[in-house]
Amino acid sequence: YPFLPSGILLCNDRESGLLVLSHEPALGQLYCQANVNSTGQIATVEGSGSRAIADNDVALTATQLPQNATGYFIVSDSQGFVANPAGSAGNLCLGGAVGRYVNQAASSGSAAELHLLVNVAQVPQPTGAVAIQAGETWSFQCWYRDAVVGIPTSNFSEGYAITFQ
């Protein structure tokens, strides 16, 4: 049912004949506006899986990237805002210590997407990997290569925050 908002499930109860709508909360939420990239779009992040630490089931997808752009996800337990850091065309929406998933750097390919499976027990930080604890909110962004009027630069997706249980 394409008219239903994300997180709404439609079920048909055969015993009662009732049509039931239920709401499944989103994994996380977008925050911090990204700048338009060379495709004329804003790169965004979508999440799927479970907020429960015990499930260790979090998948992120950055979409609307330039095709064949190299990029990776970054993560922090703090949010922030820095416009055009180090000459980037984008906004850094993370604060504090920022971890980098550099070992998962990849090309966005023809689909113009990057994917990350988050291991909640091994989240990169500058001083080494840490485990996410229940009740903590962690924020993610995708950093990627871009070009402005043919000049190479970098850019960032919108920020995506998840409060874990």
Side-chain angles (χ1 to χ4, degrees):
Y1 299 92
F3 60 88
L4 292 175
S6 177
I8 301 294
L9 303 175
L10 185 60
C11 305
N12 186 5
D13 183 350
R14 293 177 193 240
E15 289 181 25
S16 68
L18 294 175
L19 192 59
V20 178
L21 285 175
S22 71
H23 181 266
E24 185 176 294
L27 176 66
Q29 61 185 17
L30 291 170
Y31 74 96
C32 188
Q33 183 69 35
N35 289 340
V36 172
N37 61 33
S38 59
T39 70
Q41 301 179 87
I42 293 172
T44 191
V45 177
E46 300 168 355
S48 62
S50 170
R51 290 180 282 139
I53 297 292
D55 293 343
N56 197 15
D57 178 26
V58 175
L60 301 175
T61 302
T63 62
Q64 301 179 167
L65 303 171
Q67 287 185 335
N68 305 308
T70 300
Y72 57 84
F73 282 85
I74 56 178
V75 60
S76 179
D77 64 357
S78 300
Q79 295 180 2
F81 183 83
V82 179
N84 312 108
S88 170
N91 299 323
L92 176 62
C93 299
L94 304 178
V98 176
R100 294 165 175 82
Y101 286 95
V102 293
N103 291 338
Q104 288 83 11
S107 170
S108 62
S110 61
E113 297 180 350
L114 287 172
H115 304 276
L116 175 67
L117 295 177
V118 177
N119 179 348
V120 299
Q122 294 287 315
V123 176
Q125 289 293 279
T127 57
V130 299
I132 295 174
Q133 302 298 311
E136 293 180 342
T137 300
W138 284 77
S139 299
F140 300 83
Q141 263 190 297
C142 180
W143 172 90
Y144 58 96
R145 299 298 294 166
D146 200 4
V148 175
V149 208
I151 300 170
T153 187
S154 66
N155 209 330
F156 295 90
S157 69
E158 295 177 297
Y160 189 79
I162 303 170
T163 300
F164 290 88
Q165 301 173 338

